[in-house]
Amino acid sequence: PRKVKPLIELVWLFTDPDDKNKLNGYVAFDENNKLVGVIGYVVSKYTIDNTTVSGVISRSWMVSPKYRGILGLQLLLKVIKLADFAFTIQGSVMAQSSYKAVKLKHIFDAHVYYKVFNPIKFFLSSEKKSIKESLRGLYYYSFFPSLRTVSKNLTLVENDKELPVLGKNHEQFSIVESHNRINWLMQCPMLDSFSYTIYDKNEAIGIALCYLRRISKKLSRARIVYISYLGQDTSRWI
């Protein structure tokens, strides 16, 4: 069975970062006034070749099994029309077929990267405890220490309740950062949030946001949920 999200999480998830009294989403009802579909979205500004454009990404897109198909496409089209361009990340097999139906193009595959500090704790903190998961933990633990191209100029300084320094816009395609969006991300009610300013020597070049999920007093998992665009120097990203 699918997990039911608590109301406090849904309210935060759909709240417009620029207007706390507005929810960013559409809902669909059947002839009996029963909720049968929902889709949320985020509209952001981006720069490319010194031009500012708007982009929208859908999220929490769900439709009751009986109404999947046309209704799902109608909800997705509602969102796509809100900006200059639309994009999405992964999704179910059915969702990916819908992306093709509304002519979204596949650009590249998304990947998740792990940094394992302790293979045993990695295994214990996993939702699916299996031999495969234990082997994966050992693989990531042994692989990442071999990286040797880390930039020695970068440092991260945790922000102490102050607004972080926003990243710079680049000639390459990148998001236009705003304090409203950063504050919204930091207010996630389900997880512990941490914000860092990234320095290249003494120059602030962007921010990194991290969520921490505490599983027990001794177990926790963290995820980088946002990072400023750092340019094309791969050693910075590593």
Side-chain angles (χ1 to χ4, degrees):
R2 299 190 65 163
K3 294 181 180 179
V4 178
K5 292 183 181 293
L7 181 60
I8 188 174
E9 181 181 358
L10 289 173
V11 171
W12 168 78
L13 183 64
F14 282 85
T15 296
D16 187 330
D18 298 317
D19 185 353
K20 294 183 178 180
N21 296 315
K22 178 184 176 184
L23 298 178
N24 286 343
Y26 293 99
V27 293
F29 296 90
D30 65 10
E31 61 276 7
N32 297 315
N33 207 34
K34 180 181 178 181
L35 179 65
V36 294
V38 62
I39 190 169
Y41 63 86
V42 177
V43 178
S44 302
K45 292 181 179 179
Y46 297 81
T47 58
I48 182 168
D49 296 330
N50 296 316
T51 300
T52 301
V53 295
S54 62
V56 61
I57 182 170
S58 60
R59 59 184 179 185
S60 293
W61 177 34
M62 293 174 284
V63 178
S64 298
K66 180 181 176 181
Y67 292 90
R68 286 175 184 168
I70 298 299
L71 178 58
L73 290 175
Q74 288 176 325
L75 288 171
L76 186 59
L77 285 169
K78 278 276 190 182
V79 166
I80 288 177
K81 294 177 181 179
L82 295 174
D84 297 317
F85 71 95
F87 65 102
T88 189
I89 301 174
Q90 295 180 323
S92 65
V93 174
M94 183 175 293
Q96 291 181 39
S97 64
S98 298
Y99 302 154
K100 295 178 181 178
V102 295
K103 297 183 180 180
L104 289 182
K105 297 180 180 179
H106 176 267
I107 304 298
F108 53 78
D109 293 326
H111 299 279
V112 177
Y113 295 89
Y114 292 89
K115 172 66 176 177
V116 176
F117 299 102
N118 184 308
I120 296 176
K121 289 185 176 181
F122 176 84
F123 174 75
L124 293 175
S125 64
S126 174
E127 293 183 359
K128 297 180 180 179
K129 296 178 177 62
S130 63
I131 295 177
K132 181 180 179 180
E133 190 71 0
S134 62
L135 292 175
R136 186 168 68 160
L138 288 171
Y139 171 78
Y140 287 124
Y141 179 73
S142 61
F143 173 73
F144 276 99
S146 66
L147 294 173
R148 292 289 181 268
T149 55
V150 179
S151 173
K152 296 181 180 179
N153 296 327
L154 294 192
T155 55
L156 273 72
V157 178
E158 186 174 354
N159 298 312
D160 185 18
K161 297 182 180 180
E162 296 181 1
L163 291 175
V165 176
L166 299 180
K168 298 180 180 179
N169 293 329
H170 296 257
E171 291 182 0
Q172 295 87 5
F173 178 74
S174 60
I175 193 170
V176 178
E177 294 180 340
S178 74
H179 281 129
N180 286 348
R181 301 302 172 92
I182 302 304
N183 284 336
W184 170 72
L185 284 170
M186 293 296 294
Q187 291 168 4
C188 175
M190 312 302 293
L191 303 163
D192 294 333
S193 304
F194 298 88
S195 166
Y196 300 88
T197 298
I198 306 171
Y199 288 89
D200 187 346
K201 297 181 179 178
N202 295 320
E203 180 187 6
I205 61 171
I207 57 177
L209 304 182
C210 176
Y211 286 165
L212 185 70
R213 177 167 62 94
R214 301 187 188 277
I215 299 166
S216 68
K217 290 183 179 180
K218 296 183 178 181
L219 290 176
S220 59
R221 281 197 173 198
R223 174 175 292 183
I224 298 172
V225 292
Y226 180 81
I227 190 167
S228 299
Y229 180 70
L230 302 178
Q232 298 188 32
D233 181 352
T234 55
S235 67
R236 283 183 165 185
W237 296 96
I238 294 173

